[in-house]
Amino acid sequence: MNNTEKKEEALKKSCNILRILCCVPTIILLCFTVWFAYICIVTFCTKDKVNSQEVTLQEQLLKQRVDEPDSIPLITEGFDTPFFETCDTGILIGFKSDLITHLEYKSRLDLAKEGTYYLYPAAGYALGFIQCADLTVAFWLIICLLSQIKKDATPFNQVTLRRLKWIFILFLLFNLINGKIIGSIILALLLWCLYTMFDIGCSLQKQADETL
């Protein structure tokens, strides 16, 4: 076995190991994606129950706070303060959505009584679903990428480059969803540099193949 064959064999082994390692977070993220989707649907389907439970809870806390003001300071902290006062879900790249703007100065009890409190947990579950789905697809593409590298015995080809581009886009999208504008800009620059290096590598590989 010559040096080239040894290198190809080592590359294939490395790809196999990395694929196995990537399968673990992919399965975990897929489970979370399904769970968030399920709980979000359940929240919408049982919105009346969610609202009534919140009304009961907040009225109990209010009564307990009146009767024993010093007994539960941590539990009741903020229950009657402006709702979403410091909330920033990052749904719109760090900016407050129309939902948050609409509910900003209402308490949990007010929201529950008017029947809109369920939107708060539902929005959180929906955001969790989007984030987990984004990362699930990204890790699945990484597994596909490693399979392609193993098959071709080289990371420098157009198929790998296309998949790498989508992986970068998904990780960048995940950062933007979380409202990390500065981090997203830095990540975009780093990924652009890495993508450019792979693009150059693909061009050199193509030239070498044509020479042979």
Side-chain angles (χ1 to χ4, degrees), residues 132-162:
C132 289
D134 180 279
L135 290 179
T136 301
V137 175
F139 274 97
W140 177 75
L141 285 176
I142 291 173
I143 293 171
C144 294
L145 178 70
L146 293 168
S147 298
Q148 188 69 39
I149 293 173
K150 179 186 174 183
K151 178 182 175 182
D152 298 337
T154 176
F156 301 114
N157 56 60
Q158 291 302 315
V159 176
T160 300
L161 195 63
R162 281 197 300 271

Side-chain angles (χ1 to χ4, degrees), residues 87-101 176-181:
C87 181
D88 183 3
T89 62
I91 293 175
L92 297 180
I93 319 179
F95 296 100
K96 292 184 177 180
S97 66
D98 292 338
L99 169 65
I100 295 175
T101 302
L176 289 173
I177 290 172
N178 283 289
K180 299 175 181 177
I181 306 298

Side-chain angles (χ1 to χ4, degrees), residues 6-160:
K6 286 181 180 179
K7 289 179 181 179
E8 289 180 357
E9 192 64 29
L11 180 62
K12 290 179 180 178
K13 286 182 179 179
S14 298
C15 287
N16 279 332
I17 294 171
L18 290 173
R19 281 167 62 196
I20 293 170
L21 292 175
C22 286
C23 281
V24 177
T26 303
I27 294 171
I28 294 172
L29 285 166
L30 181 60
C31 291
F32 273 107
T33 301
V34 174
W35 182 81
F36 274 120
Y38 168 75
I39 201 70
C40 185
I41 293 170
V42 168
T43 302
F44 272 103
C45 293
T46 61
K47 58 183 180 181
D48 292 335
K49 184 179 179 181
V50 172
N51 287 321
S52 63
Q53 286 178 341
E54 189 63 23
V55 169
T56 303
L57 174 63
Q58 294 301 336
E59 286 178 343
Q60 287 175 350
L61 290 175
L62 178 61
K63 184 177 182 301
Q64 191 173 356
R65 193 175 197 183
V66 172
D67 296 341
E68 304 173 53
D70 299 324
S71 62
I72 50 169
L74 294 178
I75 297 176
T76 59
E77 185 68 30
F79 88 95
D80 58 352
T81 58
F83 196 48
F84 284 120
E85 186 175 44
T86 57
C87 181
D88 183 3
T89 62
I91 293 175
L92 297 180
I93 319 179
F95 296 100
K96 292 184 177 180
S97 66
D98 292 338
L99 169 65
I100 295 175
T101 302
H102 173 67
L103 304 178
E104 190 171 8
Y105 297 107
K106 298 193 177 184
S107 70
R108 290 175 183 248
L109 184 58
D110 290 338
L111 293 171
K113 284 182 175 180
E114 70 180 29
T116 56
Y117 171 77
Y118 76 97
L119 291 172
Y120 173 52
Y125 296 137
L127 182 62
F129 167 77
I130 293 170
Q131 291 173 325
C132 289
D134 180 279
L135 290 179
T136 301
V137 175
F139 274 97
W140 177 75
L141 285 176
I142 291 173
I143 293 171
C144 294
L145 178 70
L146 293 168
S147 298
Q148 188 69 39
I149 293 173
K150 179 186 174 183
K151 178 182 175 182
D152 298 337
T154 176
F156 301 114
N157 56 60
Q158 291 302 315
V159 176
T160 300

